[in-house]
Amino acid sequence: MQTNFFRQIAKMNLTGDLQLTIRPTQDNRFVISVLLNNEQCGDEARKLIPPLNLRGTAEDLDNGFFENVATPMQTASGLMVDMDAYMKQVEEAKMKSAMEKEKADREKKEKEARDKKYNEALQKAEEFEKEGKYKEAWSALPKASDFPENAEHIRKKQDEYERHFAPSLFSETNNDNVES
């Protein structure tokens, strides 16, 4: 006797383990429970898919088993494959989100460190300025090339300090010490 049972199962192209439970009843009928289980699917909701139960005589089941099983099992198989793909995408999104958050945190820390370095240099220059040490103040200023967002402010401070380096020939000077 030759059957084509397994060829019919192969035609369904299911992903996962097909579990069949066949239980005879007292009135020469059968109860068939068909469950598709896909362990590769990471979503626990797959466990909520109930088994498909068929009841009938041996002749009824021989004649209509695959017609009644194929579509629901293919649907369940597709659903679990989609659920697995969805879970993988969710995990990927979480990882990218974590990477983006980490990147934003790192950029924030770098910006804070740059701002701190800039403010410390500016404060040091102002301390020298208060002491009248304009050359040291000029040297203590942060470099405009290192802080392009503050370049204009740095240049103004440099110009201000340079005015104190040496007296200009064209500026008015107080000649109280010159005798006439």
Side-chain angles (χ1 to χ4, degrees):
M1 172 171 102
Q2 183 178 3
T3 65
N4 64 354
F5 182 81
F6 294 102
R7 284 186 229 136
Q8 291 292 329
I9 290 176
K11 282 184 190 177
M12 287 194 289
N13 197 24
L14 302 175
T15 301
D17 300 328
L18 187 63
Q19 299 172 350
L20 296 173
T21 304
I22 303 170
R23 176 170 291 150
T25 63
Q26 293 182 349
D27 56 353
N28 288 336
R29 297 171 64 87
F30 290 93
V31 175
I32 310 291
S33 179
V34 184
L35 177 65
L36 184 65
N37 188 16
N38 184 349
E39 293 292 330
Q40 301 302 313
C41 178
D43 192 335
E44 292 299 309
R46 69 181 160 80
K47 295 178 181 177
L48 299 174
I49 299 172
L52 175 65
N53 294 314
L54 303 172
R55 291 176 174 76
T57 64
E59 187 178 328
D60 292 340
L61 292 169
D62 279 342
N63 292 331
F65 179 79
F66 285 102
E67 290 81 15
N68 288 305
V69 170
T71 301
M73 289 299 116
Q74 288 168 334
T75 301
S77 178
L79 177 62
M80 284 188 265
V81 168
D82 290 346
M83 288 165 55
D84 187 48
Y86 174 77
M87 292 304 290
K88 287 178 182 173
Q89 289 174 340
V90 166
E91 285 302 314
E92 186 177 326
K94 281 182 186 178
M95 285 184 57
K96 285 185 178 177
S97 174
M99 288 171 54
E100 289 299 319
K101 184 177 184 292
E102 185 179 299
K103 180 181 174 186
D105 288 347
R106 185 174 54 250
E107 288 174 355
K108 181 180 175 186
K109 286 179 184 176
E110 287 173 2
K111 184 180 181 336
E112 288 173 356
R114 282 179 47 76
D115 289 347
K116 182 179 178 184
K117 183 178 176 183
Y118 172 79
N119 289 330
E120 286 174 351
L122 200 59
Q123 186 177 8
K124 190 172 185 179
E126 288 172 356
E127 287 173 11
F128 282 130
E129 177 185 6
K130 287 177 186 175
E131 295 173 11
K133 299 178 179 179
Y134 297 105
K135 287 183 181 181
E136 289 86 351
W138 190 95
S139 296
L141 282 172
K143 294 180 181 166
S145 61
D146 291 344
F147 300 94
E149 65 276 9
N150 301 98
E152 186 176 334
H153 183 254
I154 294 169
R155 285 190 191 99
K156 285 181 183 178
K157 281 290 204 183
Q158 286 174 336
D159 290 345
E160 182 181 324
Y161 296 153
E162 285 173 1
R163 282 189 228 125
H164 296 281
F165 286 176
S168 171
L169 296 175
F170 303 105
S171 63
E172 288 185 27
T173 58
N174 193 352
N175 291 332
D176 291 338
N177 296 339
V178 176
E179 293 181 28
S180 333

